[in-house]
């Protein structure tokens, strides 16, 4: 069945019906939080001797090479996830989860001040907030709990018998992966993409911004800013995001 929710921004992977749910798909790193929670978790694990430091250092090296434009984004992201997973190999899952909770106890105060109000406002206006982040699920779940968001996805590292195996199960920060995550979360549900909003700051978020009727590029990196200007997407910063979102969602 088609409806006014169908249109050029709809994905064929997501079924759309009349009277369907409007989503507000929110990135975390650089959007709700001024940094990268996965990077902070890795630092904490290395400092506590809970993971392989040599593989952890290799993650930071590939990030440095990307910032120096020695490797492209696709290469950096795939390589970084593989190295992160390798650093976690044979680590007890319970210890990593404990480290994530301890880290969040310190980092929660760094959430952008608008984050809680934004989520509440979106709920009040009939949108269902959802977090899709490149950071590990262990951290994204804590952010979701803080903000009262029920649906969330972060990167997943394979587990067996209470230990990490060293393999990547879901590399959510790789280009194109967030669209597949959204399709998996919403499979079988009635979703109105034209009435939905997405907010993100980097190239990995562009696939979601293309899908929805109300895209917002938040303090975008140069690649996303170029796309936002080309497509006419709303651009916002931490001072204007609440007003921009209110204006888009009736």
């Amino acid at each position: 069945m088609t409806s006014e929710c169908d249109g050029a921004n709809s994905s064929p992977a997501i079924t759309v019906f009349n009277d369907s749910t409007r989503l507000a798909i929110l990135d975390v790193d650089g959007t709700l939080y001024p940094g990268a929670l996965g990077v902070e978790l890795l630092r904490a694990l290395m400092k506590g001797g809970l993971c392989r430091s040599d593989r952890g250092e290799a993650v930071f090296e590939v990030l440095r090479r990307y910032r120096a434009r020695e490797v492209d984004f696709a290469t950096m992201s795939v390589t970084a996830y593989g190295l992160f997973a390798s650093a976690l190999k044979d680590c007890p899952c319970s210890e990593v989860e404990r480290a994530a909770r301890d880290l969040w106890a310190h980092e929660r105060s760094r959430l952008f001040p608008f984050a809680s109000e934004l989520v509440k406002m979106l709920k009040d206006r009939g949108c269902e907030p959802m977090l899709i982040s490149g950071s590990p699920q262990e951290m994204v779940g804590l952010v979701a709990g803080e903000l009262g968001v029920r649906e969330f996805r972060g990167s997943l590292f394979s587990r067996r018998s209470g230990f990490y195996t060293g393999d990547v199960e879901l590399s959510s920060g790789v280009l194109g992966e967030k669209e597949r995550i959204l399709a998996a979360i919403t499979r079988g549900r009635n979703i109105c993409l034209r009435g939905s909003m997405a907010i993100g700051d980097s190239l990995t978020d562009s696939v979601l911004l293309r899908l929805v009727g109300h895209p917002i590029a938040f303090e975008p990196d140069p690649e996303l800013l170029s796309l936002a200007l080309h497509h006419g997407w709303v651009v916002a910063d931490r001072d204007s995001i609440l007003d921009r979102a209110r204006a888009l969602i009736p």
Side-chain angles (χ1 to χ4, degrees):
M1 181 185 298
T2 60
S3 76
E4 68 277 6
C5 289
D6 286 329
N9 287 333
S10 297
S11 167
I14 303 171
T15 306
V16 186
F17 298 88
N18 283 319
D19 302 321
S20 49
T21 301
R22 294 186 300 163
L23 301 176
I25 312 158
L26 310 175
D27 176 46
V28 175
D29 297 333
T31 301
L32 301 178
Y33 170 84
L37 284 168
V39 170
E40 297 304 325
L41 177 60
L42 181 58
R43 286 198 179 103
L45 295 174
M46 292 170 64
K47 184 177 180 180
L50 297 174
C51 72
R52 292 185 54 175
S53 292
D54 58 335
R55 297 300 173 88
E57 292 292 351
V59 174
F60 290 110
E61 173 60 17
V62 76
L63 293 175
R64 182 202 65 76
R65 293 186 64 202
Y66 170 67
R67 289 192 293 269
R69 299 184 181 276
E70 296 174 10
V71 296
D72 61 21
F73 184 90
T75 301
M76 178 276 293
S77 57
V78 171
T79 304
Y81 278 113
L83 290 169
F84 202 130
S86 181
L88 290 176
K89 183 175 171 59
D90 298 326
C91 294
C93 301
S94 60
E95 289 296 305
V96 174
E97 290 166 353
R98 178 186 59 78
R101 291 192 298 270
D102 290 345
L103 174 64
W104 183 241
H106 293 282
E107 294 298 309
R108 60 190 295 268
S109 63
R110 295 187 62 208
L111 273 175
F112 282 127
F114 65 77
S116 294
E117 186 176 351
L118 175 65
V119 168
K120 182 180 184 302
M121 182 267 291
L122 291 168
K123 287 180 177 180
D124 290 345
R125 294 182 178 228
C127 289
E128 181 180 317
M130 174 185 296
L131 305 184
I132 302 182
S133 171
S135 277
Q137 182 87 341
E138 292 83 352
M139 293 304 306
V140 180
L142 295 169
V143 180
E146 182 83 16
L147 297 174
V149 176
R150 292 184 302 171
E151 289 282 2
F152 58 91
R153 291 293 186 279
S155 59
L156 297 172
F157 300 102
S158 299
R159 304 176 174 208
R160 184 183 301 120
S161 302
F163 294 86
Y164 291 94
T165 67
D167 298 316
V168 180
E169 187 173 324
L170 175 63
S171 48
S172 50
V174 170
L175 287 174
E177 200 64 31
K178 289 191 174 185
E179 181 178 2
R180 286 186 282 275
I181 291 170
L182 177 64
I185 293 174
T186 59
R187 186 171 293 119
R189 295 176 58 190
N190 302 341
I191 303 298
C192 177
L193 288 174
R194 177 166 288 181
S196 294
M197 171 177 288
I199 306 176
D201 74 306
S202 70
L203 197 58
T204 57
D205 301 304
S206 62
V207 292
L208 298 179
L209 271 61
R210 285 191 177 100
L211 288 176
V212 300
H214 305 302
I216 299 180
F218 176 82
E219 298 186 359
D221 62 19
E223 292 89 349
L224 183 60
L225 178 60
S226 178
L227 283 174
L229 295 176
H230 175 74
H231 291 289
W233 297 338
V234 171
V235 177
D237 59 21
R238 63 196 72 183
D239 296 319
S240 63
I241 182 63
L242 290 173
D243 288 339
R244 296 285 193 272
R246 285 192 190 98
L248 289 175
I249 300 294

